[in-house]
Amino acid sequence: MPHILLTGGAGYIGSHTYVALVEAGFGVTILDDFSNSDASVVDRLSRLTGADVDVVEGTVLDRALLTRLFAEKAIDGVVHFAAKKAVGESVARPLDYFETNIGGLTTLTQAMRAAEVWRLVFSSTATVYGEPEVFPLTEDMPLSHTSPYAFTKVTCERILEQAARADPWVLGVLRYFNPVGAHGSALIGEDPRGVPENLMPYVAKVATGEMSELRVFGDDYDTPDGTCLRDYIHVMDLADAHVKSLQALLDGRAHRLNIGTGNPVSVLELHGAYQDVVGRELPYRIAPRRAGDVPKLYADPSRARSELGFEAQRDLEEMCRSSWNWVQARMTGWTFNS
Ligand code: WQD
């Protein structure tokens, strides 16, 4: 049974990927500093999988810890989630992003190289495409950055490209579009601290009453309803893509892929779908555009289908429903099925 190290495995995408990997028969160790995740997720992962969770508290910036981890555990591959990911925050604190995202990758890969662990899935993002003009987005399109966060992801991809010329790395670079939703059990989901930056968790807080209304950042874009288009993908589909990515790496098949649905959805369409699930009006108002937003981002998902046999299965309604179920369960403290 291959054993995988998930850096940032207690986070939103990491925790869902943990469940999918365990269910696919992998052994998994989580490394997380809990800077952007709640330690209670570990108990809920244990409830979900029916087994203890092997978790190590620490940061990928700690080379000595990583060296010990690779010496103590027979690790066959790594999925590297641990990074800072808030675009707005990266503009305010770029050095923190360079240190954690770029320094974290170089520290991790140096420790992997020393242990001769060469299989790595790297968590990248659609924002490496900058402000594209042609759609849908394919993997060979040029990269650019519109924020320090995007700069770190473009730089990390370029670092990995060059590292693979010098050593026998087997790399899976996955460019996520917009992950949303939650596991069907409602035991894990997106749990942003404070006021959410991202659309669906903000709509969820309007639905619970924590926020009074949704601000739609601009309705004067060149799109069918004037609001921005994004490629929202259910987080469990994204988790499944990681399982397939690791299976490909274990077969020696490297790849660099968009992970999306290929279906562009507008801000107002997502708001409407969430409102339908909740069953009552969720107030919103049109607000000024948000700096840094691009009008459209959606994938051509065909290469993931041909190279991994991956295709997103869950639709927008399931994305909204699973999010709403999770948000309600978290408010009740998961008293159901206790
Ligand atoms: C989506 C759309 C907003 C909030 C970012 C990162 C990306 C990834 C996901 C890390 C935009 C609009 C939002 C709100 C709104 N993060 N919106 N009101 O910006 O596409 O992607 O988060 O991996 O890398 O770039 O996602 O959910 O913030 O915004 O109108 O309160 O919703 O303007 O058009 P985004 P988002």
Side-chain angles (χ1 to χ4, degrees), residues 9 12 28 46 48-49 61 70 74 77 87 90 122 128 164 192-193 205 211 215 219 231 239 272-273 280 283 288 325:
Y12 173 42
V28 186
S46 182
L48 252 178
T49 56
L61 292 166
F70 287 111
V87 171
S90 79
F122 176 68
V128 300
R193 302 204 162 151
K205 290 207 174 207
M211 297 290 171
R215 295 159 302 159
D219 69 345
D231 185 333
R280 60 179 153 75
N325 290 342

Side-chain angles (χ1 to χ4, degrees), residues 13 84-87 123-128 146-147 149-150 153 176-180 190 196-203 213-218 221 227-232 265-267 285 288-290 292-295 297:
I13 301 168
K84 291 180 177 295
K85 63 157 202 166
V87 171
S123 165
S124 191
T125 166
T127 40
V128 300
T146 54
S147 69
Y149 161 71
K153 292 296 186 178
Y176 311 158
F177 280 72
N178 288 62
V180 292
E190 190 164 14
E197 266 206 23
N198 297 139
L199 179 60
M200 188 172 282
Y202 199 103
V203 174
E213 65 179 4
L214 170 69
R215 295 159 302 159
V216 174
F217 295 139
Y221 288 99
T227 64
C228 293
L229 296 175
R230 291 292 183 274
D231 185 333
Y232 298 97
V265 169
S266 77
V267 176
R285 67 177 168 82
R289 292 183 173 191
R290 180 174 70 176
D293 275 339
V294 297
L297 274 178

Side-chain angles (χ1 to χ4, degrees), residues 26 53 65 80 92 137 158-159 162 177 179 183 192 212 223 225 240 272 284 319 332-333:
F26 287 85
V53 177
L65 171 61
H80 182 39
L137 296 170
R158 298 240 158 81
I159 285 170
Q162 293 178 53
F177 280 72
H183 188 269
S212 58
T223 62
D225 66 13
D240 293 342
Y284 75 88
M319 296 177 206
T332 64

Side-chain angles (χ1 to χ4, degrees), residues 244-314:
K244 291 183 180 295
S245 175
L246 278 165
Q247 288 164 340
L249 297 190
L250 289 165
D251 289 345
R253 289 184 288 113
H255 46 275
R256 186 188 62 205
L257 301 169
N258 290 335
I259 304 296
T261 66
N263 306 320
V265 169
S266 77
V267 176
L268 288 177
E269 283 169 331
L270 187 146
H271 168 269
Y274 212 103
Q275 186 168 262
D276 290 348
V277 161
V278 172
R280 60 179 153 75
E281 186 188 351
L282 300 181
Y284 75 88
R285 67 177 168 82
I286 304 300
R289 292 183 173 191
R290 180 174 70 176
D293 275 339
V294 297
K296 304 174 195 168
L297 274 178
Y298 56 96
D300 174 341
S302 55
R303 198 181 286 186
R305 186 166 55 243
S306 59
E307 293 193 22
L308 294 188
F310 170 77
E311 194 162 11
Q313 301 297 312
R314 299 160 176 92

